[in-house]
Amino acid sequence: MPFEAFENDVLGEEQQLAALAQVIRYSNSFSLVFAVCNNTQYREELIGRLQSILEDVPTQVLRLAEKTENLLSALREDSFESVKALFVVGMEGWIESGKAGERHAFILNLNATRNALPTAYSGTLVLWMPEYLAALLHSGAPDFFSVRSGLFYFAPSREERERLSAEASKLSWGETLSLSRVEKDELITRLENLLQDILSIPEDDRDPKAVIRLHIALANAYGAHGLDADALPHELVAVNLSREVYGERHPATFMSLSNLAVTFRAIGRTAEALELQEEVLTARKEVLGERHPDTLTSMNNLAETYRAVGRIADALILQEEVLTARKEVLGESHPDTLSSINNLAGTYAALGRNRDALKLEEEVLTARKKVLGDRHPDTLTSMNNLADTYREMGRKADALKLQEEVLTGSKEVRGERHPDTLTSMNNLAMTYREMGRNADALKLQIEELAACQEVLGERHPDTLISMGNLASTYQEMGRYADALKLHEEVVSASKEVLGEHHPATLTSMNNLANTYEDLGRIPEAIAMYEDAVAGLEDLLGGTHLHTIAGRANLARCRKKLP
Amino acid sequence: MSTPIAKLFQACDPMKPATSEQYVDCSDVRGGHAFTREFCGALTNAGDDGSFLRFLITGHVGGGKSSELLHLKAQLEQMEKPYLVVMMDSKEYIDDNDVTPNDILLAIVSELAETVKAKAGINLDDSYFVKKLNEASDLLKSTVEVSEGDVTAGLLKLKVKLLRIDESARRKVRGALVQNESSFIQQINLVFEEARTAIRKKNYRDIVLILDNLEKIQRIDGVDEGTESHRELFIARAQKFVGLNCNFVLTVPLTLVNTHGGQLRGAYGQPPHTLPMIKVSDRSGKRYDGGYVKLRELLSKRGANPEVIDNDARDLLIEYSGGHVRDLLGTLRGAISTASGSKVVLADAKAALGQIVRSLTVSRAAWERLVALEESPDRTLDLNDPVCISILEQLYALEYVNGEDNQGFLQDQEAWYAIAPVLKELRSYTTALSAYKADLLKQ
């Protein structure tokens, strides 16, 4: 008997609901129905519609607790005597997607207790589950799977699938950074919805590359919004999927890994970032070659992390190499080349080579204004960096002017609570303080610290820096008790989070020593200065400005000893 | 709701074995041994020489084992001089994930005591071992409400059944009863002897023990689950069953038979009996009408007559069941629920099959084996390959046996396999098939 495959015969959503209702109506003893649906929101909607189709039939929804191991016991906990159909939801809380769960207790229990289920419940048991769970049930509990009285699959229609795939394939994320806050919010909502919809498509029909693209786009959107912790899970999924779809040593997998590392660094997991970036750099050199743009990006990222962990010398070597190569490979005014110059300038500044930094920063700012425009986030970053250097060099008025401009721009472009906006606030406050405008500084710093604690977390490196700065302002104003409390907190947290030898930790130790000194607690001050100076000599060398300043502090303090 | 179509739905419960009204003897179209006939024949011929029949039966999940065993029970009970059949469904007693062979023996004794009391009015409570078992089971008193004077065999069964859900009591009872393994079986045999003497006075010929669902056991205490546990229970500890002075039939897992058939034969004295699928096509893939005739009869006994289902719809469901009865019943339920009127038409059958097609996901490894099976002329599977074992367990591949030719000779007892027909309608099948052919070309 020749006939078409059944693809054209499958039931639409309405018909499936009607059929499911019919199973419930016809059943006169225990029966088991599987309803597969990946999208939890859609599932709730379907259950609601079923209940209205079945108006006169008593039904109930059983929401399983997250770690339920046994359906039978869950059924026994309650009495469902007069309930003709029981909709069980929450099974995905038993086994997460992607885990090898075939031998999970819950699956084994299902197989083992299926004959006992009718003793606990005598109506139609409708088990709602995502696709992966249905597949696990089929392979792990074939006996249980075989006694079903109905199998339903609720998924987007074919037209809908095509539309979704097309939408996902059009995604590009290069421009995410320059979107306004509202646009970023909209983008995230749109992408999250699109991801949910795409995941509703049966796995076989789903384009895994579109899924990867979506996760990366989402991570990027969250990252651009300063919500790096929200980006992380998407980066992780993208990495796992990329490995599966493209293979371990494919450029696309490197890209996912590289993104993940950047996010690690942004949320303060620098050790993991460092390890991953070194790994990716080695692999890219081998697979793509020494001067491939992606390899250069890897070197650049790694250098940034080196700087973040205080390995300034390592950062410098890498950055100079990247800059030379980028100029040759990409050209002098390519945005990536400009980034390189900017990053190198940052390292010069960290090394106290302010003149070198200044020269490069002015160069980048001019170029960025021309290439990207006045309000582009990268342009703002450039202005911010230049202002820092002005301040370091004592050009406070120049710094102030620039920083006020940056803060206004950043609030507008990135949003009030974006990490980069918070950094701008912090920087401006420092300049206020240095100019003696302590009240202005204090107001700004209190506001900024509260935002940091909320957005970045209590122990994020940037939050600690903010606390230290606020403490210094207190001290400047003579509020020693407030200053001391905060400084001590910062030192102990920095040692834990960043390590003993991190520049930020050493700075915070120096500041704490200074407070002890002001309070007349000279022996404690000396001990702390000594530790800080030893660390600075080690890290930055004997001739660095900070080291010299530290030594001067120590000498001055020693003189105060009786 | 008791329209004819609702009645048909209710009569096709995939969770229940066939009742005697629903039963159809399909042995001719299954091929292989006519299990019930053989067992009854061997039993009659065995006489009273003190030897016992020890049959093993196996087959796919949902392939009709329980229905056959129920049918066998009815046959044995309807004989002129009937057998007393003790039928123990291990699911009632046993936690499939934590069993010792002695748990099974305990369950056997309590089922025996229960059946002998119910069928022949004989109370075994004074038998030494039943008494002891009753005492040991009193450990469970906390979980059962015992009213005074209620210590009957029926209660014993209830108590031993509770061992299934009460793990700590299970350990206590095991400890209290089983101190000496060999005397344990002797004690049970004494109970059998006592029961046998008593029932013979009531015109029964002998006792037959039917142990159903034993193949569902997943883990024997202290052994890895799956095949290792199956090996332990049915082969290493075969003496637990073979040592019983009683005729018995027990169910063993299909995968164990496929991988350790020789050892099973050695332990039980004869090869396991496989209950193959009902053939709806032959080894070459050609439609086999005999199977259709039997399955139509089977469906019609459950109420699938032309009034409620069109012939083409019915035959399509039969074709796509591959001769797997439970699957056929489940899909028919699907078609009934889809039917908008009072009758199942071809479109409903197609829709029910379509529901299955779009819900199945098959792993790449499984596809490789399935496509190779479909393309191989001899239709065999490598049963040492765990993937092949799992595609059999998942009913992606079904086991068949040819059986008698038209001269009545058993020409071919060898098993062959076929891909479950519905899988061939998956789009991924076509993909897997072309990948397989491309691979062949490369070689």
mmCIF file of all heavy atoms in Angstrom, chain B residues 3 17 22 44 50 134 172 179 189 191-192 243 312 360 378 381:
data_model
loop_
_atom_site.group_PDB
_atom_site.id
_atom_site.type_symbol
_atom_site.label_atom_id
_atom_site.label_comp_id
_atom_site.label_asym_id
_atom_site.label_seq_id
_atom_site.Cartn_x
_atom_site.Cartn_y
_atom_site.Cartn_z
ATOM 1 N N THR B 3 -20.122 4.505 24.006
ATOM 2 C CA THR B 3 -20.349 4.289 22.588
ATOM 3 C C THR B 3 -19.426 3.155 22.152
ATOM 4 O O THR B 3 -18.449 2.863 22.845
ATOM 5 C CB THR B 3 -20.005 5.546 21.796
ATOM 6 O OG1 THR B 3 -18.656 5.882 22.115
ATOM 7 C CG2 THR B 3 -20.915 6.701 22.153
ATOM 8 N N PRO B 17 -2.702 -7.225 30.151
ATOM 9 C CA PRO B 17 -2.614 -8.402 29.276
ATOM 10 C C PRO B 17 -4.012 -8.817 28.827
ATOM 11 O O PRO B 17 -5.017 -8.419 29.416
ATOM 12 C CB PRO B 17 -1.983 -9.468 30.179
ATOM 13 C CG PRO B 17 -2.237 -9.023 31.576
ATOM 14 C CD PRO B 17 -2.333 -7.524 31.539
ATOM 15 N N GLN B 22 -10.297 -12.044 25.173
ATOM 16 C CA GLN B 22 -9.539 -11.288 24.166
ATOM 17 C C GLN B 22 -8.405 -12.108 23.548
ATOM 18 O O GLN B 22 -7.867 -11.757 22.508
ATOM 19 C CB GLN B 22 -8.939 -10.028 24.816
ATOM 20 C CG GLN B 22 -9.975 -8.999 25.238
ATOM 21 C CD GLN B 22 -9.372 -7.895 26.091
ATOM 22 O OE1 GLN B 22 -8.307 -8.054 26.672
ATOM 23 N NE2 GLN B 22 -10.060 -6.764 26.174
ATOM 24 N N THR B 44 2.323 -33.210 30.379
ATOM 25 C CA THR B 44 1.556 -34.458 30.366
ATOM 26 C C THR B 44 2.495 -35.658 30.230
ATOM 27 O O THR B 44 2.309 -36.673 30.879
ATOM 28 C CB THR B 44 0.550 -34.453 29.189
ATOM 29 O OG1 THR B 44 0.030 -33.126 29.074
ATOM 30 C CG2 THR B 44 -0.579 -35.416 29.452
ATOM 31 N N GLY B 50 9.202 -37.693 39.192
ATOM 32 C CA GLY B 50 9.951 -36.847 40.140
ATOM 33 C C GLY B 50 10.760 -35.755 39.484
ATOM 34 O O GLY B 50 11.382 -34.954 40.161
ATOM 35 N N ASN B 134 5.659 -15.975 58.695
ATOM 36 C CA ASN B 134 4.681 -15.105 59.330
ATOM 37 C C ASN B 134 5.294 -14.340 60.491
ATOM 38 O O ASN B 134 5.070 -13.150 60.661
ATOM 39 C CB ASN B 134 3.498 -15.938 59.827
ATOM 40 C CG ASN B 134 2.267 -15.685 58.969
ATOM 41 O OD1 ASN B 134 2.014 -14.550 58.580
ATOM 42 N ND2 ASN B 134 1.536 -16.741 58.663
ATOM 43 N N LYS B 172 15.551 -6.431 57.367
ATOM 44 C CA LYS B 172 15.317 -7.187 58.610
ATOM 45 C C LYS B 172 14.824 -8.592 58.297
ATOM 46 O O LYS B 172 15.301 -9.568 58.875
ATOM 47 C CB LYS B 172 14.269 -6.465 59.475
ATOM 48 C CG LYS B 172 14.854 -5.379 60.350
ATOM 49 C CD LYS B 172 13.818 -4.918 61.364
ATOM 50 C CE LYS B 172 13.631 -3.424 61.286
ATOM 51 N NZ LYS B 172 12.405 -2.957 61.915
ATOM 52 N N GLN B 179 19.480 -17.541 57.172
ATOM 53 C CA GLN B 179 20.785 -17.710 57.790
ATOM 54 C C GLN B 179 21.583 -18.771 57.066
ATOM 55 O O GLN B 179 22.780 -18.703 56.929
ATOM 56 C CB GLN B 179 20.634 -18.048 59.280
ATOM 57 C CG GLN B 179 20.495 -16.796 60.130
ATOM 58 C CD GLN B 179 19.260 -16.836 61.000
ATOM 59 O OE1 GLN B 179 18.672 -17.891 61.193
ATOM 60 N NE2 GLN B 179 18.857 -15.690 61.512
ATOM 61 N N ASN B 189 10.968 -26.281 49.862
ATOM 62 C CA ASN B 189 10.545 -27.527 49.224
ATOM 63 C C ASN B 189 9.616 -28.329 50.135
ATOM 64 O O ASN B 189 8.699 -29.008 49.660
ATOM 65 C CB ASN B 189 11.765 -28.347 48.801
ATOM 66 C CG ASN B 189 12.328 -27.829 47.478
ATOM 67 O OD1 ASN B 189 11.591 -27.232 46.688
ATOM 68 N ND2 ASN B 189 13.613 -28.046 47.246
ATOM 69 N N VAL B 191 7.478 -26.987 52.097
ATOM 70 C CA VAL B 191 6.174 -26.351 51.935
ATOM 71 C C VAL B 191 5.510 -26.837 50.647
ATOM 72 O O VAL B 191 4.312 -27.163 50.610
ATOM 73 C CB VAL B 191 6.298 -24.811 51.908
ATOM 74 C CG1 VAL B 191 4.907 -24.175 51.834
ATOM 75 C CG2 VAL B 191 7.048 -24.300 53.124
ATOM 76 N N PHE B 192 6.307 -26.905 49.571
ATOM 77 C CA PHE B 192 5.765 -27.401 48.302
ATOM 78 C C PHE B 192 5.234 -28.827 48.473
ATOM 79 O O PHE B 192 4.166 -29.174 47.990
ATOM 80 C CB PHE B 192 6.851 -27.372 47.211
ATOM 81 C CG PHE B 192 6.845 -26.099 46.423
ATOM 82 C CD1 PHE B 192 7.884 -25.179 46.531
ATOM 83 C CD2 PHE B 192 5.797 -25.811 45.551
ATOM 84 C CE1 PHE B 192 7.874 -23.999 45.802
ATOM 85 C CE2 PHE B 192 5.788 -24.638 44.816
ATOM 86 C CZ PHE B 192 6.819 -23.735 44.949
ATOM 87 N N GLY B 243 16.532 -25.471 42.067
ATOM 88 C CA GLY B 243 16.441 -26.283 43.282
ATOM 89 C C GLY B 243 15.021 -26.473 43.796
ATOM 90 O O GLY B 243 14.782 -27.287 44.686
ATOM 91 N N ASP B 312 -9.051 -0.279 5.885
ATOM 92 C CA ASP B 312 -7.734 0.228 5.466
ATOM 93 C C ASP B 312 -7.013 0.884 6.646
ATOM 94 O O ASP B 312 -5.796 0.763 6.786
ATOM 95 C CB ASP B 312 -7.854 1.183 4.270
ATOM 96 C CG ASP B 312 -8.884 2.284 4.493
ATOM 97 O OD1 ASP B 312 -9.510 2.307 5.581
ATOM 98 O OD2 ASP B 312 -9.060 3.120 3.579
ATOM 99 N N LEU B 360 9.701 10.742 17.872
ATOM 100 C CA LEU B 360 10.838 9.857 18.125
ATOM 101 C C LEU B 360 12.160 10.542 17.796
ATOM 102 O O LEU B 360 12.275 11.244 16.799
ATOM 103 C CB LEU B 360 10.718 8.592 17.283
ATOM 104 C CG LEU B 360 9.572 7.643 17.664
ATOM 105 C CD1 LEU B 360 9.587 6.431 16.746
ATOM 106 C CD2 LEU B 360 9.672 7.203 19.112
ATOM 107 N N ASP B 378 20.697 -10.852 5.411
ATOM 108 C CA ASP B 378 20.348 -11.917 6.360
ATOM 109 C C ASP B 378 19.656 -11.405 7.627
ATOM 110 O O ASP B 378 19.238 -12.186 8.464
ATOM 111 C CB ASP B 378 21.586 -12.742 6.726
ATOM 112 C CG ASP B 378 22.625 -11.872 7.415
ATOM 113 O OD1 ASP B 378 22.530 -10.633 7.298
ATOM 114 O OD2 ASP B 378 23.525 -12.420 8.070
ATOM 115 N N LEU B 381 21.734 -9.125 13.809
ATOM 116 C CA LEU B 381 22.333 -8.051 14.603
ATOM 117 C C LEU B 381 23.504 -8.629 15.386
ATOM 118 O O LEU B 381 23.472 -9.792 15.773
ATOM 119 C CB LEU B 381 21.313 -7.497 15.608
ATOM 120 C CG LEU B 381 20.227 -6.556 15.117
ATOM 121 C CD1 LEU B 381 19.316 -6.196 16.274
ATOM 122 C CD2 LEU B 381 20.828 -5.299 14.501
#
